[in-house]
Amino acid sequence: MSPATARLVPPSTDEIPTTRERIVEVAARSFREIGYQKTTVADIARTLKMSPANVYRFFDSKKAINEAVVEQVTGEIEAMIAAIAASPNLDAPERLTRIVTTLHTDCRRRWEAHPRVHEMVEAAMSESWSVCQAHVDRIEAVLTRVVEDGVREGHFTIADPKAAAACLHAAIVRYCHPLLVSRQQDTALPPLPTMIAFLLGALRAAKL
């Protein structure tokens, strides 16, 4: 098949975004650019050249649309750190360091590119906590896996990896929550490397 002929081949059904996916994509862009509060279902429908009633066929409220957007974003974050956790050539302390650093860097990158992103997160936390809790649970599952690996490798002395993972997650919230990152910027104390060193030291010494 020549390149010219190949260009004429229509995309497969799997490659064509569904209406639901298009709604989520447009909503996500609008939430980032003008903010969750200012975005209406009518705005989303207008961009998609459809009626609000058609949007409501797929989502019963703006809250439901936001839940889908948040699930998409958190899914991207979870995939990134899961890939780090599965890195075969890194020991547990290095994987943990990279996970925490990645969570912070990604949060800061998203906020700097789209300062209004925290509106979406705040809305999810107040209106759709179950979505946020599911994300927290999945992050802590990844951290638990790495801590368990560290115990098995002899790097950490932790009796309860799950409890340790919950403590780790609580300790790094200020470095990976959009609102906190946006307000602290470069003023967060202790600096992230200092916090990571402290946490690794605790995992090596504690009998949690």
Side-chain angles (χ1 to χ4, degrees), residues 62-106:
K62 190 173 82 167
K63 177 175 81 73
I65 297 174
N66 191 43
E67 288 176 356
V69 173
V70 170
E71 286 174 347
Q72 182 182 73
V73 172
T74 56
E76 294 170 358
I77 296 168
E78 291 156 15
M80 282 192 299
I81 67 167
I84 298 171
S87 300
N89 299 321
L90 302 175
D91 62 21
E94 180 59 28
R95 274 179 282 155
L96 187 59
T97 297
R98 293 195 184 191
I99 286 172
V100 175
T101 303
T102 296
L103 286 171
H104 173 67
T105 303
D106 181 74

Side-chain angles (χ1 to χ4, degrees), residues 1-9:
M1 181 182 294
S2 69
T5 305
R7 284 196 295 270
L8 297 176
V9 176

Side-chain angles (χ1 to χ4, degrees):
M1 181 182 294
S2 69
T5 305
R7 284 196 295 270
L8 297 176
V9 176
S12 69
T13 303
D14 292 340
E15 295 173 337
I16 300 173
T18 65
T19 300
R20 182 183 176 88
E21 290 169 341
R22 290 170 58 222
I23 291 170
V24 172
E25 179 185 353
V26 168
R29 184 167 63 247
S30 185
F31 293 166
R32 290 193 303 263
E33 293 175 356
I34 69 173
Y36 175 78
Q37 300 301 335
K38 291 184 178 180
T39 298
T40 67
V41 172
D43 294 330
I44 296 169
R46 190 179 306 111
T47 301
L48 290 165
K49 295 181 171 56
M50 63 174 63
S51 68
N54 199 29
V55 174
Y56 284 121
R57 288 178 55 213
F58 297 90
F59 297 95
D60 61 13
S61 63
K62 190 173 82 167
K63 177 175 81 73
I65 297 174
N66 191 43
E67 288 176 356
V69 173
V70 170
E71 286 174 347
Q72 182 182 73
V73 172
T74 56
E76 294 170 358
I77 296 168
E78 291 156 15
M80 282 192 299
I81 67 167
I84 298 171
S87 300
N89 299 321
L90 302 175
D91 62 21
E94 180 59 28
R95 274 179 282 155
L96 187 59
T97 297
R98 293 195 184 191
I99 286 172
V100 175
T101 303
T102 296
L103 286 171
H104 173 67
T105 303
D106 181 74
C107 180
R108 182 166 180 169
R109 175 184 62 81
R110 289 176 191 269
W111 173 78
E112 288 178 344
H114 306 287
R116 294 182 177 87
V117 72
H118 65 80
E119 285 185 29
M120 179 182 73
V121 176
E122 286 183 328
M125 292 182 70
S126 62
E127 301 173 0
S128 311
W129 177 247
S130 61
V131 174
C132 298
Q133 184 61 57
H135 175 57
V136 169
D137 291 344
R138 288 189 289 267
I139 293 290
E140 290 186 6
V142 173
L143 294 175
T144 299
R145 171 186 171 182
V146 177
V147 174
E148 288 173 340
D149 289 346
V151 172
R152 186 169 55 254
E153 295 166 5
H155 296 293
F156 304 147
T157 56
I158 294 295
D160 188 343
K162 187 173 182 179
C167 291
L168 286 170
H169 202 187
I172 64 173
V173 165
R174 67 188 299 175
Y175 303 95
C176 54
H177 187 290
L179 184 57
L180 296 176
V181 168
S182 68
R183 291 185 175 176
Q184 293 173 338
Q185 298 189 48
D186 295 321
T187 63
L189 294 174
L192 185 59
T194 302
M195 175 58 83
I196 292 174
F198 176 83
L199 294 173
L200 291 176
L203 291 171
R204 292 185 179 107
K207 295 288 184 181
L208 186 64

